[in-house]
Amino acid sequence: LSSVIWGDSRIIQAAVRDITERKRTEEAIRRARDAAESANRAKSMFIAGMSHEIRTPMNAVLGFARLLEQDASLAPEHRSMVDQIGRSGEHLLMMINAVLDMSKIDAGHVEIDRRAFDPSATLRDLELMFRGRVEEAGLRFSVVGDELPQFVVTDEVKLRHILLNLLSNARKFTADGSIEVRARTTSGEAGLRLVVEVEDTGEGIATGDTERVFEKFSRTEQGRSRGGTGLGLATSREYARLLGGDVTVRSEAGRGSCFVVEVPIELGHHIPVSTEPSLRTEPSARGADGEPRGAAAVAE
């Protein structure tokens, strides 16, 4: 009997040691995970701070470049140089903004501001912003959203940001054919949702890359040849998911792409007065060649 008891005791002790060791391992893993998350937040905050510090003088450079462009006495060769300064500066500013947006998301500093707005007016703004650039490239451009509610509620600024990225990509990767934007609402178990499709007849995406294009700093072979940070689609998907929706893509190499934005909305009844600056592109924010600068240029 004593040998049986002794044997059971040894089994119990072994089980206790196993549980204790497992708890220690789990605690070590938890501490390592917390340390990694803390370090990642610190990195994101540092990048966000540095991005702000870089963006301030860069805006000054671009401002003076635009003032120089308006000088009627500027020689043609000097005007060309100033234009190159502006374009290069805007490209750098675009990359800074992309990194800043992603660092804010990683650091958990992104706030959602849901307000009532007119979705048809938003689409008209985007159409005006891109039509000239698309048609100058010899592409057909159409925006369809006639059956939308007069007012809806979601974060319009982030929705604009998403659509700017998608339209900029469609223009960048479409050499001939067309770009079409289609907007509609759907209702079902998930409630009322706004769905916007941006479809192009461009290069398309290989089947194995359709999810990889949404990864941070990930670019396809075509994307690497055209520059950029590889953050536009990642940021767009993150923003859509913060709003409770998503961005997905249907594509085939050589046959174009269709990016679909879907976000939950509520019906709105009026547009509240806002003191926030508009994202619309003013004529003064265009370069000498008529291409958008500012909000439109930052999307590329």
Side-chain angles (χ1 to χ4, degrees):
L1 179 60
S2 61
S3 62
V4 172
I5 294 174
W6 175 249
D8 289 345
S9 176
R10 292 178 63 184
I11 292 172
I12 292 171
Q13 289 175 3
V16 169
R17 284 195 301 271
D18 183 60
I19 293 171
T20 302
E21 186 63 30
R22 190 179 306 168
K23 286 184 177 179
R24 287 175 180 170
T25 301
E26 290 174 353
E27 179 65 18
I29 293 173
R30 185 188 65 78
R31 289 179 179 176
R33 184 184 65 245
D34 291 347
E37 290 176 352
S38 178
N40 188 59
R41 284 193 297 269
K43 175 204 69 176
S44 297
M45 292 176 67
F46 172 77
I47 292 174
M50 288 302 297
S51 297
H52 276 298
E53 293 298 322
I54 297 171
R55 189 164 59 172
T56 300
M58 182 54 61
N59 279 321
V61 171
L62 291 175
F64 282 115
R66 289 165 188 156
L67 286 175
L68 282 172
E69 285 181 339
Q70 297 170 13
D71 186 350
S73 65
L74 200 64
E77 62 271 22
H78 294 158
R79 186 175 301 279
S80 176
M81 293 176 185
V82 171
D83 183 66
Q84 186 59 44
I85 290 172
R87 288 178 178 276
S88 298
E90 284 167 354
H91 183 69
L92 178 57
L93 186 61
M94 175 272 296
M95 292 191 289
I96 292 170
N97 285 335
V99 173
L100 178 59
D101 287 333
M102 186 53 67
S103 65
K104 283 182 177 180
I105 292 171
D106 288 343
H109 290 169
V110 176
E111 296 182 357
I112 304 301
D113 185 15
R114 292 184 172 87
R115 300 188 185 188
F117 67 96
D118 181 349
S120 296
T122 299
L123 289 176
R124 285 194 298 271
D125 283 351
L126 293 170
E127 182 179 6
L128 288 172
M129 192 179 294
F130 279 90
R131 179 169 292 283
R133 303 166 70 195
V134 172
E135 292 183 346
E136 283 174 8
L139 304 174
R140 298 184 302 278
F141 187 49
S142 63
V143 179
V144 181
D146 298 331
E147 302 299 323
L148 296 175
Q150 184 175 6
F151 302 124
V152 301
V153 178
T154 186
D155 190 321
E156 184 194 9
V157 173
K158 290 181 178 55
L159 179 62
R160 280 176 176 263
H161 187 109
I162 294 167
L163 295 176
L164 278 168
N165 275 331
L166 298 185
L167 280 166
S168 180
N169 276 353
R171 166 64 189 88
K172 188 185 301 183
F173 294 102
T174 305
D176 59 286
S178 64
I179 297 173
E180 183 175 356
V181 180
R182 299 183 296 271
R184 67 183 189 279
T185 57
T186 63
S187 59
E189 294 182 0
L192 189 63
R193 303 177 83 81
L194 176 65
V195 180
V196 184
E197 298 177 326
V198 179
E199 186 168 12
D200 63 65
T201 58
E203 300 176 12
I205 305 168
T207 303
D209 287 336
T210 52
E211 281 302 309
R212 192 163 65 86
V213 296
F214 292 106
E215 297 175 3
K216 289 182 285 187
F217 302 107
S218 177
R219 293 179 294 175
T220 62
E221 184 176 346
Q222 298 98 317
R224 284 191 293 272
S225 68
R226 285 165 175 76
T229 60
L231 287 174
L233 290 176
T235 303
S236 296
R237 171 169 275 186
E238 290 286 352
Y239 275 164
R241 288 180 172 178
L242 284 170
L243 296 177
D246 204 352
V247 178
T248 56
V249 62
R250 304 188 303 270
S251 186
E252 185 178 343
R255 294 181 176 273
S257 304
C258 181
F259 284 86
V260 183
V261 184
E262 185 175 343
V263 295
I265 57 172
E266 298 175 4
L267 292 179
H269 302 291
H270 68 286
I271 298 178
V273 176
S274 174
T275 58
E276 294 184 359
S278 171
L279 287 181
R280 298 181 186 182
T281 302
E282 301 296 335
S284 60
R286 292 179 175 268
D289 59 358
E291 290 211 5
R293 296 200 167 163
V298 165
E300 285 196 332

